[in-house]
Amino acid sequence: MAVLKIRTLPDPVLRQKAKKVTNIDGSVQKLIDDMIDTMHAASGVGLAAPQVGVSLRVAVIELPEQELITLINPEMVKRQGERVVQEACLSVPGYQGETKRAVTVKVKAQDRQGKEFRLKGEELLAQVLEHEIDHLDGTLYVDHIESPDKLWKLSEQL
Ligand code: NI
């Protein structure tokens, strides 16, 4: 287990479409463990593999007081509703923005044993699921910002 370096913009790995995991082998298990350590060390609620420089379709999510979710090859099945949210990303340090996200989503993915499962997310979980799946397609939340005044430096708020 190890804390990995988090890639930040403009690192090109963040803009690549990540590859599907075809074999959940020891290296993928180690990657997941290291991603969990890295997410905890950064006090994040989610982390996608491209953020640690690995262009594979793997993400981990852990919301406060909730169970850790490992997603391998996640796919968005359904999005419903829309709400305005505040959003930030460990790969875009020092910034926060306002985006629109679905109220509920349905996702299918594989767990770390390779078993397929479906997951419904509401509100914050829906937002984080969209955010992490976006990462696997090279999309960052800043791409969803509608105008420059909807993105601000955190220091400007202090
Ligand atoms: Ni992010």
Side-chain angles (χ1 to χ4, degrees):
M1 309 261 277
V3 173
L4 305 174
K5 182 175 180 274
I6 295 178
R7 307 299 182 94
T8 57
L9 275 182
D11 193 314
V13 72
L14 295 170
R15 291 309 196 175
Q16 286 170 18
K17 189 172 166 69
K19 287 199 182 71
K20 207 172 166 184
V21 176
T22 52
N23 183 16
I24 306 171
D25 60 11
S27 70
V28 173
Q29 299 292 347
K30 183 178 187 312
L31 170 68
I32 292 166
D33 287 336
D34 290 348
M35 285 172 62
I36 293 167
D37 280 355
T38 305
M39 174 174 68
H40 287 160
S43 302
V45 293
L47 193 70
Q51 293 184 274
V52 294
V54 179
S55 196
L56 281 176
R57 303 187 82 79
V58 176
V60 292
I61 292 174
E62 190 173 38
L63 299 185
E65 319 280 311
Q66 293 190 35
E67 252 178 72
L68 184 121
I69 304 165
T70 300
L71 301 156
I72 298 175
N73 301 324
E75 287 174 46
M76 190 62 68
V77 177
K78 196 173 183 182
R79 309 170 66 248
Q80 273 187 314
E82 187 180 77
R83 67 187 192 114
V84 173
V85 293
Q86 307 272 304
E87 197 150 337
C89 178
L90 295 171
S91 293
V92 192
Y95 285 85
Q96 190 172 24
E98 191 180 288
T99 60
K100 286 178 183 159
R101 293 292 191 181
V103 179
T104 62
V105 300
K106 279 182 190 164
V107 168
K108 72 172 181 182
Q110 287 167 271
D111 66 17
R112 55 190 298 174
Q113 281 74 46
K115 192 174 169 233
E116 198 175 285
F117 67 100
R118 280 170 188 258
L119 176 67
K120 189 179 172 190
E122 285 185 21
E123 309 256 319
L124 180 59
L125 179 57
Q127 179 185 355
V128 177
L129 282 164
E130 279 199 288
H131 180 116
E132 301 311 331
I133 293 173
D134 269 357
H135 269 300
L136 305 181
D137 293 319
T139 300
L140 297 167
Y141 83 90
V142 291
D143 303 330
H144 298 301
I145 301 262
E146 287 174 348
S147 64
D149 65 311
K150 301 275 168 85
L151 181 71
W152 55 89
K153 271 190 181 168
L154 286 172
S155 56
E156 285 173 5
Q157 280 192 314
L158 299 176

